[in-house]
Amino acid sequence: MANVILFHHIQGLTPGVQHFGDQLRANGHSVTTPDLFEGRTFTSIESGQEYVEGVGFDTILERGRLVGDATPNDAVYAGFSLGVLSAQFLAQTRAGATGALLYHSCIPVSEFGTWPDGVPVQIHAMDADPFFTNEGDLESARDLVESVEDAELFLYPGSEHLFADDSLSSYDAAATALLLERTLAFLER
C-alpha cells in the first residue's frame, strides 16, 4: 500500500480529481487530496488561471509545501497539471519521498534543484496537448526521463489537457483507463 498525496489541477479539487483518488483508494492505497484553492473550483482553465495569477504561484506552492509538512514523509506525490508544481517540488525536496506521478505537466528539474536518487517517476500526457507540447513540459519530461534511472514518460493519443478528470468535458475514458493501470502498477512497486 502506498501513501499518495494527490494535488488537483487549475480548476480546483473537482469531483473528477476526487474520484481518481477514490479509485486509488479502492485498490488499497491511502490517498490525501488536499484543496489548494480553499474550496474554490472553476468551470474553465482560464478562470482557474485568473485565480492563480491573483493569489500568485508562490502562494499555491507554499500551500502545497504546508500539505507536505503535515503528511508522512514516505509519500508518493502526484499532481494533475498545476498540481504537478507541488507534487514535483515535494518529490524533489522532501526527504523520504517514495515516488512521483506527474499528470498533464512536467516542470524542469532545475526549478527545484536536482532529482533525488532512488525516487521513481512517471509522467503522463497526451501527445498533442498544446499545454504539454507547446509550453516546454514535453522537453522537461524527456530531460527527466533521460537523467533519472527509474523514469517513464507515457504519451497518449489526443489533444486534451485534463483528460483524466472524469468530471470535465476533456475526459478520455480509454486513455484514463490505461493511465490508471500504469499508475497502479507504479504504486505496487
Side-chain angles (χ1 to χ4, degrees):
M1 177 183 83
N3 178 33
V4 181
I5 312 301
L6 177 63
F7 292 98
H8 63 75
H9 51 69
I10 200 149
Q11 290 182 245
L13 185 56
T14 61
V17 173
Q18 293 177 38
H19 182 243
F20 189 88
D22 289 342
Q23 291 178 76
L24 300 181
R25 285 183 198 97
N27 282 276
H29 302 288
S30 171
V31 182
T32 302
T33 52
D35 186 350
L36 302 181
F37 287 2
E38 301 174 327
R40 294 172 187 85
T41 57
F42 301 94
T43 57
S44 69
I45 290 172
E46 295 76 20
S47 58
Q49 181 74 24
E50 287 177 23
Y51 170 75
V52 170
E53 288 172 358
V55 299
F57 282 96
D58 289 342
T59 298
I60 300 300
L61 185 59
E62 177 62 11
R63 290 175 184 172
R65 186 194 64 74
L66 291 172
V67 167
D69 287 350
T71 55
N73 286 358
D74 64 338
V76 173
Y77 299 101
F80 280 52
S81 190
L82 174 72
V84 165
L85 184 68
S86 293
Q88 193 170 329
F89 170 75
L90 292 169
Q92 284 188 240
T93 64
R94 195 149 189 258
T98 57
L101 291 160
L102 312 179
Y103 304 117
H104 320 297
S105 185
C106 185
I107 311 241
V109 170
S110 61
E111 187 72 24
F112 306 122
T114 60
W115 196 266
D117 291 338
V119 177
V121 59
Q122 280 188 352
I123 306 140
H124 300 264
M126 287 199 155
D127 61 5
D129 169 4
F131 291 102
F132 190 79
T133 60
N134 297 341
E135 296 185 6
D137 297 69
L138 179 57
E139 292 80 11
S140 296
R142 287 183 172 149
D143 290 345
L144 180 54
V145 168
E146 288 176 16
S147 65
V148 173
E149 184 177 329
D150 192 356
E152 299 172 288
L153 169 61
F154 296 106
L155 296 174
Y156 303 82
S159 61
E160 296 297 340
H161 183 53
L162 302 173
F163 72 87
D165 182 327
D166 66 6
S167 67
L168 301 178
S169 62
S170 56
Y171 177 64
D172 184 306
T176 300
L178 185 53
L179 176 148
L180 186 59
E181 178 183 314
R182 290 169 169 163
T183 293
L184 292 171
F186 178 89
L187 294 174
E188 291 300 321
R189 293 195 274 150

